[in-house]
Amino acid sequence: MNPASGQDAPLLVAQGLTRLYGTRIGCADVELEVYPGEILAVVGESGSGKSTLLSLLSTELAPSSGRISYRGTDGVMRDLAAFTEAERRLLLRTQWGFVRQNPEQGLRMAVSAGGNVGERLMAVGRRHYGDIRSEATDWLGRVEIAADRIDDDPRSFSGGMRQRLQIARNLVTRPRLVFMDEPTGGLDVSVQARLLDLIRSLVSDLGAAVIIVTHDLAVARLLSHRIMVMRHGSVIEHGLTDQVLDDPAHPYTQLLVASVLAA
Amino acid sequence: MSEMPAITYNFAYLDEQTKRMIRRAILKAIAVPGYQVPFASREMPMPYGWGTGGVQVTAAILGTDDVLKVIDQGSDDTTNAVAIRSFFQATAGVATTTRTQDATVIQTRHRIPEAALSDRQVLVYQVPIPEPLRFLEPRESETRRLHGLADYGLMHVKLYEDISRHGHIATTYAYPVSVAGRYVMDPSPIPKFDNPKMNESAALQLFGAGREQRIYAIPPHTRVVSLDFEDHPFEVQRFAKPCALCGARGVYLDEVILDDRGGRMFVCSDTDFCETRRADGHVGELGVAVPSALAGKDAA
Ligand SMILES: [Zn+2]
């Protein structure tokens, strides 16, 4: 691999990615590349395989076949299957992030907001309480949570606040790649719009790449540069978001776009 | 009527096969300092809260020449300490003592003796909950994985929460330690005051948890570090006054209520240490000189 290829080199590459559940197909033969700073939306209905794909890419699920490679900060592309468990976990809490649809799954509900944001810092060896706390305060501010809520635990937070806290908890180590699974699902429409704005500006500031899974084409249009449409476990169409949504080639994508327009 | 046959036990109650199984777990624990080794805990003729883990470890290492001391909260005379001492007197016939310096095996709950231990002594701790990560991660499968990867950020989350709530690290008992730069370990519910005594101790330290079926160890002269933050360093409790009976400073003191009018005094929690000092002529604010012949006598 050529480390000099820099920004033009993909950060994450999946080849022939397949996951079977018994004889049922979770996702089949998916190919994708994600570049630094790029937001890729994976859209589809429930059962389309988009969540399976996200679990595979984030190494939560092992593929039945195919491979995923990741370019480290040293510029070298490595097969994720060759990472040790310790390396994989370090990656997940430093260079990667994962924002879940249900913040209760992505947060420690009995730990204060400051502790939730500070956990990643402590996990990578930071040992100065005052520094950890001021960094947590700073990140709470960036996700529009008042500094005086730092010692409250997320059980006292609204759904939107919990989701913003989960985002701060993930972004505090300035990850290069963030996975998002329906991050605005289950929230009121007005709260959703504000959260999407926040996500867009934060990841743009960090220059992080994002792979976001959503059933909501409006979310994909607002956030993503490129889009992949999945159905029955396979990618049926991909391209630049505006092109795909304005001029869908596949009849199924046309149907999806039409149903959004009709709604 | 014929005479009732005397009930006979194997030496130290446990059968030899069980003792060998426990010794194998102890050897593994010594080889991997701070690592919790599973073992098949046996039913003992006492309830779990009574230190069955420590009792099994003691039973497995005890030899006929050993001299046993048992303490509970620093005292040799609590019900728990007396019961365990009597148990080994009955089942092993070993000599017992209350004097720390005379003991070769010391089984303890909640304290480490004040007097420095030597390389011919073994300290056996009774442990209720061996897993230091349980506070934030209840899943056993996950805590084992975290230990395997030395993934201990959660321990600092716990200390962070302490400081954010109380302004300082409020954990005073069972204060977590890092052993030999590798495993994080729960030192059992001793006061954090005793944590520095674990560090580089000349004595072998063994920990037994009966209900949880775990044994772990600190080999002699092993580095034991209490977890902390750079700006909130680990500190032991300080006491405003010396022991009221023997005048000792820098030891762990218990509060004793003297009367129903609010009278109280602070005295050594380690009763043998206090008595030894008084026998040596040290007298505290409320103490009286003790003739040395009465002090530090062997337990009956
Ligand atoms: Zn004293």
Side-chain angles (χ1 to χ4, degrees), chain B residues 243 246 268 274:
Chain B
C243 170
C246 77
C268 291
C274 199

Side-chain angles (χ1 to χ4, degrees), chain A residues 56-132:
Chain A
L56 292 171
L57 294 174
S58 61
T59 72
E60 290 193 338
L61 196 63
S64 306
S65 61
R67 55 181 272 171
I68 307 162
S69 310
Y70 173 69
R71 185 180 305 280
T73 46
D74 57 3
V76 177
M77 206 76 183
R78 285 177 66 198
D79 188 338
L80 283 179
F83 279 58
T84 65
E85 173 78 356
E87 287 174 326
R88 198 181 64 81
R89 284 174 85 104
L90 185 65
L91 195 65
L92 282 164
R93 72 158 69 100
T94 54
Q95 299 182 32
W96 290 9
F98 198 136
V99 176
R100 292 165 201 285
Q101 173 173 6
N102 183 350
E104 288 81 57
Q105 287 169 5
L107 293 171
R108 293 193 186 276
M109 298 303 285
V111 167
S112 69
N116 264 287
V117 178
E119 180 173 345
R120 277 177 163 236
L121 300 175
M122 292 181 254
V124 295
R126 295 275 295 275
R127 292 293 178 261
H128 192 284
Y129 175 83
D131 289 353
I132 292 164

Side-chain angles (χ1 to χ4, degrees), chain B residues 243-248 251 253 267-270 273-275 277-278:
Chain B
C243 170
L245 295 180
C246 77
V251 297
L253 302 180
V267 301
C268 291
S269 139
D270 182 339
F273 182 80
C274 199
E275 282 169 14
R277 275 180 59 84
R278 287 155 69 198

Side-chain angles (χ1 to χ4, degrees), chain B residues 208-254:
Chain B
R211 190 181 50 235
E212 306 254 350
Q213 314 207 39
R214 292 288 184 278
I215 287 171
Y216 49 102
I218 304 172
H221 304 292
T222 297
R223 187 132 174 76
V224 178
V225 177
S226 302
L227 304 184
D228 62 3
F229 286 99
E230 291 158 18
D231 49 342
H232 286 268
F234 172 79
E235 283 177 354
V236 298
Q237 295 99 324
R238 290 184 211 286
F239 298 90
K241 292 166 77 173
C243 170
L245 295 180
C246 77
R249 295 176 188 275
V251 297
Y252 195 76
L253 302 180
D254 283 338

Side-chain angles (χ1 to χ4, degrees), chain A residues 132-167:
Chain A
I132 292 164
R133 196 167 171 82
S134 68
E135 205 155 327
T137 307
D138 176 51
W139 272 97
L140 290 179
R142 293 201 205 188
V143 297
E144 299 164 9
I145 295 175
D148 64 5
R149 301 301 301 271
I150 190 168
D151 294 330
D152 296 343
D153 73 50
R155 286 176 295 205
S156 67
F157 288 8
S158 68
M161 274 177 82
R162 289 179 184 185
Q163 202 54 298
R164 282 180 274 134
L165 179 62
Q166 193 192 177
I167 289 166

Side-chain angles (χ1 to χ4, degrees), chain B residues 73-116:
Chain B
Q73 306 274 10
S75 166
D76 300 79
D77 298 328
T78 66
T79 314
N80 185 282
V82 170
I84 292 170
R85 197 164 58 226
S86 307
F87 174 78
F88 283 113
Q89 280 172 328
T91 60
V94 292
T96 62
T97 184
T98 60
R99 295 171 64 97
T100 299
Q101 64 181 44
D102 294 345
T104 57
V105 175
I106 302 170
Q107 181 168 332
T108 181
R109 183 170 85 148
H110 295 175
R111 279 308 313 278
I112 298 176
E114 300 291 355

